[in-house]
Amino acid sequence: MTGTGEKDQNPWLYGQDAPPARDPLSPPRTTGPWTGAASPSVLVQPAVLQQGAGESRRLRGELQFSVSRVEPDTAAAVQALSGGWAGGPALSQALTWWKARWTSLDNRLGLTADRLDATARSYLAADDSAAADFKGP
C-alpha cells in the first residue's frame, strides 16, 4: 500500500531528490511526483479572482457598517453600567475583545481583496506577455 503522507507527496521537503527506493515486491507507486502520470491542469480565471475581491470588499463594507452601529451603543452601555454595576467592566472587556477581532477581520478582508486583485492582474499580464511572445516581431 502506498503512502499519501506529506513525506510521500513532497519528498523534496525532506531532502529526497530522486524517486524513493521501492521494494521489488511492492506495487508501483500511484502517488507523488515520480508516478509518470500527467498532472492535472490549472485553470485560472482572472475575472473570478476579481469577483472574489469584490465580494471581500462588500463583506468588509457590511462589517464596517454593522460595527459602526453597534459600537457606540455598547460604549454607551458600558458608560452607564460603570457606576457600581458588575456588568460594566465585563461589558467593557467584551467590547475591547470584539473590537480587536473586528479590526483583524476588517484588515484581513481588505488584504484578501487587494491580493486577489493583484493576482488577477498578474495572470492577465502573464497571458498578455505570452501572447505577445508567440506573435513574434
Side-chain angles (χ1 to χ4, degrees):
M1 181 169 187
T2 59
T4 57
E6 176 69 23
K7 192 170 183 177
D8 292 318
Q9 293 294 322
N10 300 307
W12 52 89
L13 292 176
Y14 298 91
Q16 188 173 339
D17 294 329
R22 199 181 87 181
D23 177 2
L25 299 177
S26 68
R29 294 184 63 83
T30 57
T31 62
W34 299 289
T35 61
S39 299
S41 60
V42 175
L43 174 64
V44 176
Q45 297 176 336
V48 174
L49 294 172
Q50 291 168 330
Q51 182 181 9
E55 284 299 308
S56 186
R57 286 190 181 94
R58 183 188 62 76
L59 288 171
R60 186 179 188 196
E62 285 181 13
L63 175 70
Q64 288 171 341
F65 177 74
S66 296
V67 169
S68 71
R69 293 180 59 212
V70 171
E71 188 178 4
D73 292 342
T74 307
V78 166
Q79 191 73 3
L81 292 173
S82 63
W85 289 85
L91 190 55
S92 176
Q93 186 177 11
L95 177 61
T96 301
W97 187 87
W98 274 110
K99 279 176 70 172
R101 270 81 192 154
W102 289 327
T103 301
S104 175
L105 182 57
D106 180 65
N107 291 338
R108 182 163 297 200
L109 287 169
L111 202 62
T112 299
D114 292 344
R115 288 179 177 170
L116 285 169
D117 273 338
T119 302
R121 284 192 306 273
S122 294
Y123 273 104
L124 288 171
D127 284 349
D128 291 345
S129 176
D133 289 346
F134 279 110
K135 287 181 185 173

